[in-house]
Amino acid sequence: MFFHKKEPIHVVNVDDANPRFAQLLLEQFGGATGELSAALQYWVQSFHVENAGIRDMLQDIAIEEFSHLEMVGKLIEAHTKNTDQTEAYKSTLFAVRGIGPHFLDSQGNAWTAAYLNEGGDVVRDLRANIAAEAGARQTYEELIKLATDQGTKETLVHLLTREISHTQMFMKALDSLGKLTDPFFGNIQPDETVALYYNLSTNGNKDERGPWNSEPTFKYIANPLESHSS
């Protein structure tokens, strides 16, 4: 059961309406990294999880993401409402679809469930969520740089902040499972090549080396074919 409170979770104020910026904001309403995608992804994932605490966390964050969707929607509404018609219609997207939010991204592409990443395993889902939050945070960072008024910036900073908070929660949940730094995603024992690094982008003697291709974790293999034939 859901209850909706008419007050947003964070105050949304727009000082100067800018329909062109509203079109950019659509990225976080109906885009791949948007709040609708996050809310539905985490909500569906919660039904895969047997751990009661992690299930509760996923549902809490999912509902918060719905509140973020509301905030982005209010921003878009405020940036397109009560503006001079010729100004609003400088954005061809709003000229066709009308004012207010739509299930489109900033380029006019319709939202799709293909944006959702859920697979029935709590470890892979939590790791997917960390990536999703990183994508959303980056989008908000770019929007903040382009924001045209202080009220909008304050709302976007709050939304960016909560992406970081959610990332920390997902990481803590992974850590509680002992999977924060564990590279294994499933339960099948890998074969012997798990500790090999294949050097497949050669450039004479200028191959780069680092902890990702060095002992003791990895054995550096210059020619993978030779390693299999020996």
Side-chain angles (χ1 to χ4, degrees):
M1 180 181 294
F2 294 89
F3 294 95
H4 175 252
K5 291 187 177 181
K6 292 180 173 59
E7 301 83 7
I9 199 169
H10 183 274
V11 176
V12 176
N13 289 318
V14 172
D15 303 318
D16 298 301
N18 186 330
R20 288 184 175 181
F21 185 69
Q23 182 164 338
L24 299 179
L25 285 170
L26 283 170
E27 199 66 30
Q28 288 305 92
F29 193 87
T33 64
E35 303 294 352
L36 177 64
S37 298
L40 293 177
Q41 178 168 310
Y42 306 158
W43 185 255
V44 172
Q45 286 177 354
S46 73
F47 296 106
H48 305 158
V49 181
E50 294 183 2
N51 184 297
I54 294 178
R55 171 182 286 209
D56 186 60
M57 176 197 68
L58 286 168
Q59 293 185 344
D60 284 340
I61 295 177
I63 295 171
E64 184 182 353
E65 300 288 16
F66 278 118
S67 76
H68 292 174
L69 182 70
E70 179 181 34
M71 290 168 62
V72 175
K74 284 182 175 294
L75 281 175
I76 295 170
E77 179 187 29
H79 275 286
T80 57
K81 188 177 181 180
N82 298 326
T83 56
D84 180 80
Q85 188 178 44
T86 57
E87 184 69 22
Y89 277 52
K90 287 181 181 178
S91 167
T92 56
L93 190 151
F94 290 108
V96 173
R97 299 297 294 251
I99 65 172
H102 308 286
F103 287 118
L104 306 170
D105 66 14
S106 61
Q107 304 305 305
N109 300 306
W111 184 88
T112 169
Y115 294 152
L116 307 186
N117 190 348
E118 50 82 23
D121 178 83
V122 63
V123 174
R124 64 85 63 204
D125 279 355
L126 289 171
R127 288 174 172 175
N129 295 351
I130 291 171
E133 295 289 331
R137 184 213 53 77
Q138 181 181 8
T139 303
Y140 278 126
E141 187 168 320
E142 298 307 317
L143 287 171
I144 290 167
K145 294 176 185 177
L146 298 170
T148 53
D149 72 284
Q150 187 59 34
T152 297
K153 285 184 179 180
E154 290 176 359
T155 298
L156 295 177
V157 168
H158 172 77
L159 292 168
L160 177 147
T161 300
R162 295 307 298 167
E163 305 297 344
I164 297 171
S165 299
H166 297 164
T167 300
Q168 292 175 329
M169 295 173 199
F170 293 140
M171 291 175 69
K172 289 293 186 182
L174 275 173
D175 196 27
S176 73
L177 299 172
K179 294 291 185 179
L180 181 59
T181 58
D182 188 347
F184 299 146
F185 283 80
N187 301 309
I188 303 299
Q189 185 67 27
D191 66 26
E192 66 280 358
T193 63
V194 71
L196 301 182
Y197 178 91
Y198 293 150
N199 179 27
L200 300 176
S201 55
T202 58
N203 184 21
N205 295 321
K206 297 181 180 180
D207 295 326
E208 299 294 334
R209 301 298 295 269
W212 54 86
N213 60 10
S214 301
E215 301 285 355
T217 306
F218 293 101
K219 180 180 180 181
Y220 191 82
I221 302 296
N223 188 334
L225 295 179
E226 290 181 0
S227 70
H228 286 298
S229 60
S230 61

